Amino acid sequence: MIRDTIKAAQITAMKAGEKDRLAAVRLILAKIKDRDIELRTASQQPDDDALVVEVLQKMVKQRRESIALYEQGGRAELAAVEAAELAVIEEFLPAQMSEDETKAAIEAIKAELGAETVKDMGRVMATLKDRHAASLDMSKASALVKAALT
């Protein structure tokens, strides 16, 4: 389980005295705990690894946006801090699909659903998310699906 790996990384960072890494790992664990609290009242609990991957992907997206904004604002030191956190977060994500693998998955789903136009994009994206959400950046996949359906 990814959650156990993150907790083990926290202990390792504490023992090694890596303060920046420890702070990033603690941030990850806090976000996961927040998500657990949100889901206490939910009628259906998602798989634990799926929940952790969802939280990590959201954090990665936030860090990338922050890095872009800091670089635009000329704040390289803050962008470097965000980039360091991003590197730690990405360590715990499952391996991401390459662009070629993503295109192949899109083509398979497109053929399976009989999708031909942009009007079918919603169905293709939903199926793609169901099957490959953990190993795929959905924002990049969206552009590839749109290109495949035009």
Side-chain angles (χ1 to χ4, degrees):
M1 286 183 22
I2 300 172
R3 188 183 300 246
D4 296 335
T5 307
I6 296 170
K7 288 179 182 177
Q10 179 185 19
I11 294 168
T12 304
M14 273 191 246
K15 288 181 179 178
E18 300 170 330
K19 291 183 180 182
D20 294 336
R21 182 174 172 77
L22 179 61
V25 172
R26 283 183 171 157
L27 185 65
I28 293 168
L29 289 169
K31 291 290 185 183
I32 292 170
K33 186 148 187 107
D34 287 346
R35 188 74 173 120
D36 287 340
I37 291 169
E38 287 176 22
L39 293 173
R40 280 186 187 165
T41 59
S43 59
Q44 186 177 354
Q45 297 292 326
D47 176 49
D48 190 57
D49 277 354
L51 175 123
V52 172
V53 167
E54 177 187 324
V55 170
L56 292 174
Q57 286 176 333
K58 191 173 188 180
M59 291 178 75
V60 165
K61 182 180 177 190
Q62 289 171 341
R63 295 301 171 286
R64 286 188 178 137
E65 290 171 356
S66 296
I67 290 169
L69 290 174
Y70 286 140
E71 287 174 349
Q72 287 174 1
R75 301 293 306 264
E77 70 282 356
L78 293 175
V81 170
E82 292 289 327
E85 283 183 7
L86 177 63
V88 172
I89 295 166
E90 285 180 334
E91 286 178 27
F92 301 109
L93 278 172
Q96 299 292 299
M97 292 172 68
S98 70
E99 188 171 331
D100 292 335
E101 292 171 329
T102 304
K103 287 179 180 178
I106 291 169
E107 288 302 320
I109 292 169
K110 191 173 128 181
E112 179 185 321
L113 297 176
E116 295 177 7
T117 65
V118 179
K119 290 181 180 180
D120 300 318
M121 186 171 172
R123 292 187 310 142
V124 174
M125 286 297 295
T127 306
L128 189 64
K129 186 174 182 178
D130 286 344
R131 294 182 187 170
H132 304 287
S135 60
L136 195 58
D137 181 356
M138 294 309 288
S139 60
K140 292 178 185 173
S142 177
L144 294 173
V145 169
K146 192 171 191 175
L149 292 174
T150 54

